[in-house]
Amino acid sequence: MRHSHTTDEEGFNYMDNSGQEERDRDMVGIFAAVALMLLTVIVQRAGWL
Amino acid sequence: MNIPYETRRRSLFSCLYSLRESLPGLLAMFFIALFSNNLAGNPNPLTLENLFRWLDAVIGPINHQPLFQILNSNFVWNPFLMGLVIGNVFGVPDCWKRGLSFIHILMPLGIIMLAPHFMFSHAEKAGLPLILAAFAVMLFTASLTMLLGRLLRMDDRHYATIAGALSTGDPHVVAILMPMLKSKGGQVINALGCVLLFGLVTSFLLPLLGHALNMDDKAFAVLSVFGVGNTGQTFNAAFGYSYEAGHWAHYVEPVRHALMPAGFLFVFFVMFIRARRYPHAENVMATKAHKTLPLFIVAFIVAWIAVQFHIVKEPAHLAIFELVKWDFSLAAAALGLSLPLREIAQWGLRGVVLAFASGLARLAVLVGCLLAAAHFRFPII
């Protein structure tokens, strides 16, 4: 059944998260988290924060 | 017709879609976050957070606590509430949905960046007996809640979410457990409500029990932190008992906070192993969709261990936590938009029964142990 809050007319459900799409989202999230934490730590250690 | 992701995938970053597709949803999350919380870099004074602070000032403190802290208003609660109202009153336009799917990137991102927030050294000064007691109470509560949830024939994603939130004493653990357990949005918010209600009721009633048993201020502080949990409600109970108990609750609280990851990881691994042992059981739903151990959980554990060596010092930790606030504000907005109210209500009142049964059992055990400690003059703090 189409979920009006989450599913668009084309059938894309934004709360659905599985398969290759989930793995890609996880990886992008991990990269972003590690990059942001590293950047903050480096900026602090360099005395820019 | 929706084109399957695998067909349109070109690289890892295909999950970000095109800017034209994702911008409306991203802007929706952005503006809900902007009008919900006082986030770093947000110059907007017209936020829900400020409205609650103003109401707190009008109402005045209750047991030295702002009312909306006792009700658990924070950077997850506020945008979620705003998203829920917007979604249920106006609906969610289709053009927002690609952008709102970024919730699945923001969740692992936020969880990993939470790692520097849980420093074990913050608990050290309370001493080993208290740390071990907190750890034992956490595992006892989580195990008991999962057991009672099974006996109540509840959906395992629902009772495991309650177990995580109740045992760690932080209702917002439901958001952390959502991608870990693969819980439904309705289950997550239902669980949040159940744990909040338990904390609210007990934080007002516990001082009466403490006075009836003539408990020591320090013992009552321990009872508030480990028995009620959830910072605002803990302090409501402790200051409701005495100013000294409130003071000591501030001393004990970091122990509960530092151990939180152990609590939600315990619940996750119990459910993960269970799903591997019974892959074909119909009533096993939690974590079942994970074919292997999710990488973001591994990344969180690695980051959590690494930060214990003081890699992330102040103010870098504060800067990272401001990013976490942004992250969870955006994600909570998307979650709020996704939920019709009936989806929260459909999981019924069993969660309330479970939270109260397990929470009251924890309080009974804690009271027994604390009275025994007083009787044998065992120094708790």
Side-chain angles (χ1 to χ4, degrees), chain A residues 1-34 36-37 40-41 44-45 49, chain B residues 1-2 5-6 9 12 15 17 87 92 94 97-98 100-101 104-105 108-109 112-113 116 178 182 295-296 310-316 319-320 334-335 337-338 340 343:
Chain A
M1 201 180 81
R2 185 177 173 271
H3 188 316
S4 64
H5 278 52
T6 62
T7 312
D8 69 11
E9 278 185 348
E10 292 183 343
F12 171 79
N13 183 350
Y14 85 79
M15 287 304 279
D16 217 25
N17 192 33
S18 57
Q20 185 61 45
E21 195 167 21
E22 182 187 14
R23 286 192 289 278
D24 287 352
R25 285 165 170 168
D26 279 359
M27 286 311 292
V28 171
I30 292 167
F31 282 147
V34 172
L36 286 169
M37 287 202 292
T40 315
V41 170
Q44 183 209 18
R45 302 255 169 181
L49 193 71
Chain B
M1 205 187 98
N2 185 33
Y5 179 75
E6 283 74 8
R9 184 181 191 272
L12 188 69
C15 65
Y17 311 112
V92 184
D94 282 349
K97 286 167 185 169
R98 292 273 171 184
L100 295 178
S101 74
H104 303 297
I105 296 169
L109 199 167
I112 296 165
M113 286 203 302
M178 187 180 173
K182 292 274 181 188
L295 254 183
F296 74 89
H310 301 275
I311 293 168
V312 183
K313 294 179 180 174
E314 304 295 355
I320 292 171
L335 179 61
L337 287 169
S338 77
E343 276 191 28

Side-chain angles (χ1 to χ4, degrees), chain B residues 45-115:
Chain B
L46 301 172
T47 59
L48 203 55
E49 185 179 341
N50 282 347
L51 174 66
F52 290 153
R53 282 188 187 172
W54 180 79
L55 286 170
D56 279 331
V58 172
I59 296 162
I62 298 166
N63 295 326
H64 302 272
Q65 305 306 307
L67 174 67
F68 281 93
Q69 287 297 304
I70 297 171
L71 292 175
N72 210 249
S73 158
N74 79 347
F75 61 90
V76 177
W77 200 89
N78 297 344
F80 169 77
L81 191 66
M82 197 177 277
L84 191 72
V85 171
I86 292 171
N88 280 280
V89 175
F90 303 106
V92 184
D94 282 349
C95 63
W96 290 8
K97 286 167 185 169
R98 292 273 171 184
L100 295 178
S101 74
F102 276 50
I103 183 178
H104 303 297
I105 296 169
L106 293 167
M107 284 285 202
L109 199 167
I111 291 169
I112 296 165
M113 286 203 302
L114 263 176

Side-chain angles (χ1 to χ4, degrees), chain B residues 160-174 177 191-192 195 362:
Chain B
T161 308
I162 294 175
L166 197 66
S167 61
T168 55
D170 190 334
H172 300 104
V173 159
V174 296
L177 281 170
L192 175 75
V195 177
R362 172 174 66 181

